[in-house]
Amino acid sequence: MSEHADLIEAARAAVNPHRVGDRLFGDVGAALETTAGAIHTGVCIDTGSGTGFCAEHAAVASMVTSGEYEIARIVAVWLDDDDRVTVLPPCGRCREFIRQIDDSNLGATVVLGHGRAAPLRDLLPEWEWPRPEEPTSPQGTMGR
């Protein structure tokens, strides 16, 4: 059993698929643990108009609603037709969303599977806002 099995199970327990027409939502669940130890969960909502959101967004919204902003660990999972759990890495939009909630979240542990995890900063290259370029001399290096 992995050190993140509890969080993976919390995300699995949040999964609650529901179909409306050709759209399926609630089939991905996420769970996060705050630095204070609270667990928040959420599910994805897929809409035909593109206004849906990922399960990580829902879990983060629950956390923010409760007045917390710092994530210790986060995971998202999907269940196949045989109820086998697949851990899903957060998409780029989720990675940036988590980062922007609080600067400390760059150090949040993102669970990538049983026995696999990485800090968010390792999954979000070029996360630092760039510094202004140093001015070049008027002569530059051309013509030398």
Side-chain angles (χ1 to χ4, degrees), residues 34-40 60 62-70 101:
T34 67
T35 56
I39 302 292
H40 294 273
V60 169
S62 173
M63 172 186 70
V64 169
T65 299
S66 74
E68 292 189 77
Y69 306 94
E70 298 178 19
I101 296 300

Side-chain angles (χ1 to χ4, degrees), residues 22-70:
D22 66 343
R23 298 308 230 183
L24 178 64
F25 54 89
D27 62 320
V28 174
L32 67 81
E33 179 181 23
T34 67
T35 56
I39 302 292
H40 294 273
T41 61
V43 297
C44 67
I45 303 290
D46 182 22
T47 64
S49 62
T51 58
F53 49 84
C54 297
E56 294 93 334
H57 282 214
V60 169
S62 173
M63 172 186 70
V64 169
T65 299
S66 74
E68 292 189 77
Y69 306 94
E70 298 178 19

